[in-house]
Amino acid sequence: MNFHDLTRQLQRQSESKIVLLVADGLGGLPMKPGDKTELETAETPNLNALAKRGTLGLSTPVLPGITPGSGPGHLGLFGYDPVVYNIGRGVLEALGIDFELGPKDVAIRGNYCSLDDDGKISDRRAGRIGSDVGAKLCEKLDKIEIPGVEVFVRHVKEYRLVIVFRGEGLEGDVHDTDPQRTGVEPLEPTARSEGSAKTVEIAKQFLAQAREILKDDFPANFLTLRGIAKKPDIPTYEEVYGTRSAAIAVYPMYRGLARLVGMDVLDAGQTLDDQCARLKAAWNDYDFFFMHFKYTDSTGEDGNFDAKVKRIEEFDAAIPKITGLNPDVIVVTGDHSTPSKMKSHSWHPVPTMIAADNCRYDACDTFGEASCLTGGLGQFPAKYLMSLALAHAGRLEKYGA
């Protein structure tokens, strides 16, 4: 019996409400020994108040020492083993913009990038061009034609886009073309398995045409391909947990993750205040709410410690709007750590808190990495966070006689 077979068996109907608050890339590091992390530096009176009536710990997104992408990080939080369910980022981006993927489709996440005169990447995100620029470039690329397949190019947000190849005999087992660093040329697409050889040839043709189309559009004069994949079969939240679930997320990828596991994806507006207002409006319609806050991650990736601190404080300021709705369980965590010191995702366990009336309270009265290290949840795999949330919400029956 696997984990989801067990949760199917133990489902208990309840009127209880669960809110999962995900501050993307929440975990951090001190900039030098003896200093505090971003979360520990931030003024977070509301998160600290929650900590006093909750239980703290550190969750491991995938496995010890494994640095997760955002997809695996969130799937773990949703209770899906990210080693079993390896979902390509292209699929998530496509679903996030409501692109209907079929069985013949391979979806790809694209990043516009800047190439210098030597054809080497000088900026992996094309200076974070605005969405107005990115959308116009997508219109140009959407005119690419390749014999034997349909090609769709859709704008996502800022420098991000989705490319979909539709045709017979396509598989998605293809390496990314983003080398994950500057000063080098983009990688050539290569197949991990023989079945994806056709997809590789199509990707090469697409990139050759894209290079010519974008050559005069600096800083977005080329693009890299990431997360090349087909849509997998995956059980839904309602099937495995018995909850009516909703997602309130701004960025398309996280909306796509939620849609993949069968959540209703609600209009979230553009700000955290908008998201809180949407939560309140939908409160009576759902049992489980996933709320996502992106900017703790992007500031960490920029290496901007002070900006990440400010974003954590912004996140903290929204907590009273959520606690004011009196949820039975509030879970606060991140999908991974993004230390400003490293300017990237990392393998470090993520600060995690469950606040509910039936918590076994620990001695922690602040929410930060050091306090979470001593908390009552200990260090645990993130894939078990959902069963902990369901248990605290009275949504799981006893197992066995």
Side-chain angles (χ1 to χ4, degrees):
M1 181 184 297
N2 66 32
F3 176 64
H4 286 157
D5 289 337
L6 184 61
T7 58
R8 285 184 178 96
Q9 177 181 316
L10 299 182
Q11 288 176 17
R12 175 196 285 174
Q13 293 304 305
S14 170
E15 297 300 315
S16 59
K17 304 281 189 181
I18 302 170
V19 179
L20 170 63
L21 299 176
V22 178
D24 205 297
L26 177 63
L29 290 172
M31 295 301 285
K32 58 183 180 181
D35 285 354
K36 296 180 178 180
T37 68
E38 299 95 328
L39 179 56
E40 292 166 340
T41 301
E43 294 291 332
T44 56
N46 299 305
L47 288 169
N48 293 344
L50 271 183
K52 292 173 183 176
R53 64 181 189 89
T55 313
L56 277 58
L58 292 166
S59 59
T60 300
V62 181
L63 290 167
I66 303 300
T67 297
S70 295
H74 277 85
L75 285 173
L77 296 180
F78 295 162
Y80 297 80
D81 188 332
V83 176
V84 175
Y85 297 100
N86 185 16
I87 314 298
R89 188 156 184 165
V91 169
L92 302 176
E93 296 281 9
L95 295 175
I97 59 169
D98 299 329
F99 190 100
E100 291 296 329
L101 292 173
K104 298 179 181 180
D105 293 349
V106 169
I108 304 165
R109 151 77 181 268
N111 273 15
Y112 288 114
C113 65
S114 304
L115 297 186
D116 62 20
D117 292 340
D118 295 323
K120 296 179 179 179
I121 297 174
S122 58
D123 189 322
R124 293 178 51 240
R125 299 178 180 88
R128 295 190 183 274
I129 56 172
S131 291
D132 55 338
V133 176
K136 290 177 181 177
L137 296 178
C138 286
E139 291 176 6
K140 295 168 68 172
L141 294 176
D142 194 43
K143 297 175 182 178
I144 288 177
E145 295 184 358
I146 299 173
V149 296
E150 293 181 82
V151 178
F152 305 88
V153 180
R154 299 289 183 268
H155 183 244
V156 176
K157 192 177 180 70
E158 298 169 342
Y159 58 89
R160 293 178 289 275
L161 63 151
V162 164
I163 304 109
V164 175
F165 301 145
R166 177 174 295 166
E168 298 290 344
L170 300 181
E171 296 296 335
D173 197 16
V174 178
H175 291 286
D176 293 356
T177 69
D178 183 354
Q180 297 288 322
R181 57 195 177 101
T182 58
V184 297
E185 295 181 359
L187 303 174
E188 286 290 315
T190 56
R192 291 191 183 92
S193 60
E194 285 187 18
S196 295
K198 182 176 179 180
T199 305
V200 166
E201 290 308 310
I202 292 165
K204 288 179 178 179
Q205 293 181 53
F206 177 86
L207 288 170
Q209 294 189 47
R211 188 183 288 263
E212 181 64 23
I213 289 169
L214 298 173
K215 64 182 181 181
D216 297 324
D217 287 302
F218 189 87
N221 57 349
F222 199 47
L223 74 157
T224 56
L225 307 181
R226 305 173 65 186
I228 303 166
K230 301 189 77 168
K231 183 182 177 183
D233 291 326
I234 189 167
T236 69
Y237 247 56
E238 188 165 5
E239 289 177 61
V240 297
Y241 303 133
T243 58
R244 299 170 299 161
S245 302
I248 305 175
V250 174
Y251 273 65
M253 178 183 175
Y254 311 101
R255 296 167 65 85
L257 277 159
R259 182 170 282 112
L260 181 70
V261 298
M263 294 186 199
D264 286 350
V265 179
L266 308 183
D267 180 11
Q270 291 298 317
T271 69
L272 197 50
D273 283 344
D274 292 338
Q275 290 176 266
C276 290
R278 192 69 183 91
L279 175 69
K280 183 177 181 179
W283 190 248
N284 293 326
D285 300 326
Y286 298 94
D287 312 309
F288 176 92
F289 297 89
F290 156 56
M291 286 187 65
H292 178 268
F293 181 68
K294 172 65 176 174
Y295 302 106
T296 35
D297 179 56
S298 53
T299 48
E301 287 188 329
D302 288 341
N304 194 331
F305 187 98
D306 292 339
K308 184 173 178 180
V309 168
K310 286 183 169 55
R311 289 300 196 174
I312 292 171
E313 291 174 348
E314 179 183 344
F315 179 73
D316 179 81
I319 297 297
K321 296 178 182 179
I322 299 163
T323 56
L325 297 171
N326 296 314
D328 297 276
V329 178
I330 299 179
V331 179
V332 183
T333 189
D335 55 334
H336 53 77
S337 293
T338 306
S340 304
K341 183 177 183 177
M342 297 178 64
K343 299 184 182 181
S344 67
H345 295 196
S346 78
W347 62 91
H348 298 91
V350 185
T352 301
M353 169 167 56
I354 296 176
D357 286 344
N358 55 4
C359 279
R360 177 177 285 168
Y361 305 116
D362 50 34
C364 301
D365 57 7
T366 60
F367 185 51
E369 285 82 353
S371 55
C372 286
L373 184 62
T374 66
L377 292 176
Q379 296 193 45
F380 65 98
K383 64 183 180 181
Y384 298 128
L385 186 61
M386 268 305 301
S387 55
L388 286 167
L390 292 167
H392 282 83
R395 288 181 167 272
L396 290 179
E397 298 283 0
K398 179 177 68 174
Y399 174 64

